[in-house]
Amino acid sequence: MTRLILLMLIGCIGMTTNAVAHILENISADIQKSGQEERTDSLVHAEALQAMIDKYFVLEADRAVLKDGQTVYVSSGINFVSVENDKAVVQISFNANASGLNGVGGITVEGSVSAYKMEQDKRGYTYLTCNVLGTGISARIDITLSPETNRASVTVTPNFNSNKVTLTGILKSAGNSNVFKGISL
């Protein structure tokens, strides 16, 4: 009888050891995955930051916040702000079902960039401000890049009215972007 109890006890200890080993393997895998995600986030942040420094980026927006606070989810392929050297494009297309002024349900405006200024705070947020002036646009552009990721927001504030809009999405190099530019004014 004692042998049977001893064998059962050894069997339970063996199963417990296997369960503990399995749990430790899962924890180790989670830690590795987390470390890989952090390295990936740091890499995409560095690429986004370099694109801003090079004046060669696109912020592909997946969400827009209107001046009254209403949030609208939008297509990142047709809602964007791009800067390439001293030229900027702002395209906002809330309704892809209608042709709009640009042919993709919204408006596309282009202009020249001036007063391009970047700074970073203690927490790692990067701020970019510039002015864009061209046919159909005279606005201030304010971009905030989050630390350790390529998520960013851009606020477009027109100089002649109060119809500002904030777009949130992914900031990436213009060479890696897949946006579709409509017909500009």
Side-chain angles (χ1 to χ4, degrees), residues 23-165:
I23 290 170
L24 289 175
E25 285 176 17
N26 287 342
I27 290 172
S28 176
D30 288 345
I31 290 171
Q32 282 182 331
K33 185 177 178 183
S34 176
Q36 288 172 348
E37 288 173 359
E38 287 175 12
R39 285 191 296 274
T40 301
D41 287 346
S42 294
L43 180 61
V44 294
H45 176 77
E47 289 173 355
L49 188 58
Q50 188 61 49
M52 290 172 72
I53 291 167
D54 294 343
K55 293 185 180 181
Y56 189 69
F57 67 86
V58 176
L59 189 147
E60 297 178 358
D62 53 21
R63 186 175 60 192
V65 180
L66 306 176
K67 75 175 185 173
D68 62 358
Q70 180 183 4
T71 300
V72 180
Y73 291 93
V74 296
S75 170
S76 62
I78 56 174
N79 289 275
F80 65 91
V81 173
S82 71
V83 172
E84 292 186 32
N85 298 316
D86 291 329
K87 298 291 180 195
V89 176
V90 176
Q91 179 169 289
I92 301 171
S93 299
F94 296 127
N95 187 359
N97 296 330
S99 65
L101 296 174
N102 61 359
V104 290
I107 187 166
T108 304
V109 288
E110 296 182 44
S112 297
V113 175
S114 64
Y116 193 90
K117 181 181 173 188
M118 286 180 59
E119 56 187 44
Q120 194 170 44
D121 69 10
K122 295 176 192 175
R123 298 176 299 164
Y125 287 89
T126 303
Y127 303 98
L128 166 67
T129 60
C130 65
N131 296 317
V132 179
L133 180 62
T135 304
I137 187 170
S138 174
R140 177 181 164 141
I141 306 289
D142 296 293
I143 298 175
T144 303
L145 177 64
S146 298
E148 301 304 319
T149 183
N150 61 346
R151 292 287 302 171
S153 66
V154 58
T155 300
V156 181
T157 308
N159 292 329
F160 300 116
N161 62 46
S162 62
N163 293 329
K164 79 176 185 177
V165 63

